[in-house]
Amino acid sequence: MWLGGLGLLSGCDPEFAEGEEDDLRTLSAVWTSGSDGRSEISFDVEGESSFLVTLRPEAGYSAFVETLTDPDGNQVLVGSDFTSGSYEFTNAVYADAVSSLGWPITDGELSEGTWTLGVGVVDEQLYFANGVDFEVEAQLKEDTTFSEGELAVDVVYAGSAVGDGEVIAAVEEAVAYWEDIYADIGITLDVRYWDIESDDPLNAPGVGSGDTYESIAETTRFRAINVVIVDSLTDTGLFGMAGGIPGPLFATGQSAVVVSASMHSGDDLAFSNGEIAILGETMAHEAGHFLGLFHPVESTYDLWDVLDDTPECSSADECQAVLENNLMFPYPVCDSNSCVPQNELSDGQAAVGNRYVAVR
């Protein structure tokens, strides 16, 4: 099975192709998993302050990060600490068709020198798979501060949402609210709007419709988060979903945040002020996941994020008392008349968002 220590490595490591795109240093290569399904991937940090590494194996396989080792030889991330624990840090430690790791996640400087990822590749039964090719894409940014920045957002109307006046008006009002939420943590949004022909409804990213999301990401701006507005998602009950925590920056089938219009408005697609507010919070919330933020507590009340300034709690009443206004709370808190605003982020959450490489 897929638990265990590092084993044999592949015999010949490829060289990264290096470039620069939109002020990010970029690295790309195709690796092959070693004889035990594992590989070590090393790359140099040259004065940058954060990086995002994305792994994408060939179809039918998944990849995940087992370890991250800094230039001094310290293992600063051990995936098994989180897969078997009570805290959420990054989804990169779980096997997925597209897996992204941003670093640093919470605090600390990114020291210069060689960083090394221990990577595993598994098949659909989660058995390690040898000889499997997987893409490695990395973006590294220089940033003098993690307290402010600008984030490009490409809002993409897809399927029957294209040209729907009710949806467009609601989304634009909701985006203005999202801008206010992120302004409080020092992030300014640079928003553009797109229309994309697509099937309707779509699957959530990572569940299906991958060709559509990859095509959208190839069309829109490289350093932007794509927020795809659809009439509905085939996954019943979802307000929206992000393609990863954090999400990938280069074009993949998971390079998107998807938001359902009808889940917010009902089938009539006529939006009340309260529904527009929740729509804005959903877009900000799912984009927060894409930047690397987890729920401060899951709705099972036994799993928490690792941040020190989001209180731990263990029941619905206790958690709502201390966290119901937090943007990343796992569900809206409503009574028969209204819902409480969920528009606050802690300093720790703000720092995580500002570290993501798309925030310039």
Side-chain angles (χ1 to χ4, degrees), residues 1-11 32-40 64 66 118-123 126-132 134:
M1 295 297 290
W2 60 280
L3 296 177
L6 286 174
L8 298 175
L9 306 177
S10 56
T32 303
S33 61
S35 60
D36 66 349
R38 294 176 166 99
S39 296
E40 284 192 346
F64 64 101
E66 288 192 299
V119 172
V121 178
V122 296
D123 62 19
L126 297 183
Y127 285 90
F128 278 110
N130 69 305
V132 176
F134 61 98

Side-chain angles (χ1 to χ4, degrees), residues 5 33 38 96 123 197 229 249 333 360:
S33 61
R38 294 176 166 99
D96 201 347
D123 62 19
E197 297 297 326
I229 308 297
L249 197 56
V333 179
R360 67 181 74 219

Side-chain angles (χ1 to χ4, degrees), residues 17-65:
E18 184 169 339
E20 185 171 332
E21 187 168 358
D22 198 22
D23 297 326
L24 294 176
R25 186 162 67 94
T26 62
L27 305 172
S28 60
V30 175
W31 238 263
T32 303
S33 61
S35 60
D36 66 349
R38 294 176 166 99
S39 296
E40 284 192 346
I41 300 169
S42 295
F43 59 95
D44 290 335
V45 169
E46 302 172 354
E48 292 90 1
S49 54
S50 67
F51 63 74
L52 180 76
V53 178
T54 299
L55 313 170
R56 179 167 63 169
E58 59 188 84
Y61 297 92
S62 298
F64 64 101
V65 174

Side-chain angles (χ1 to χ4, degrees), residues 61-79:
Y61 297 92
S62 298
F64 64 101
V65 174
E66 288 192 299
T67 57
L68 176 65
T69 304
D70 71 13
D72 295 324
N74 302 309
Q75 283 193 345
V76 295
L77 173 65
V78 177

Side-chain angles (χ1 to χ4, degrees), residues 106-229:
T106 52
D107 53 24
E109 294 183 358
L110 193 62
S111 54
E112 291 194 9
T114 301
W115 289 73
T116 302
L117 287 174
V119 172
V121 178
V122 296
D123 62 19
E124 292 178 348
Q125 287 73 44
L126 297 183
Y127 285 90
F128 278 110
N130 69 305
V132 176
D133 289 342
F134 61 98
E135 295 176 77
V136 182
E137 298 276 349
Q139 296 86 32
L140 302 93
K141 75 166 180 175
E142 294 184 36
D143 199 340
T144 59
T145 177
F146 288 140
S147 60
E148 60 182 5
E150 181 181 84
L151 174 65
V153 174
D154 285 343
V155 175
V156 180
Y157 297 105
S160 60
V162 173
D164 188 309
E166 291 276 359
V167 172
I168 292 170
V171 167
E172 290 181 353
E173 190 172 343
V175 165
Y177 179 33
W178 175 11
E179 289 176 326
D180 290 341
I181 294 171
Y182 274 28
D184 287 341
I185 62 168
I187 295 178
T188 302
L189 301 187
D190 170 22
V191 183
R192 299 184 189 179
Y193 294 90
W194 305 69
D195 290 340
I196 299 289
E197 297 297 326
S198 74
D199 295 333
D200 196 12
L202 293 172
N203 294 98
V207 179
S209 307
D211 289 346
T212 297
Y213 297 128
E214 185 165 355
S215 176
I216 288 172
E218 289 170 344
T219 301
T220 55
R221 293 176 290 173
F222 162 68
R223 204 173 177 177
I225 292 179
N226 298 309
V227 178
V228 183
I229 308 297

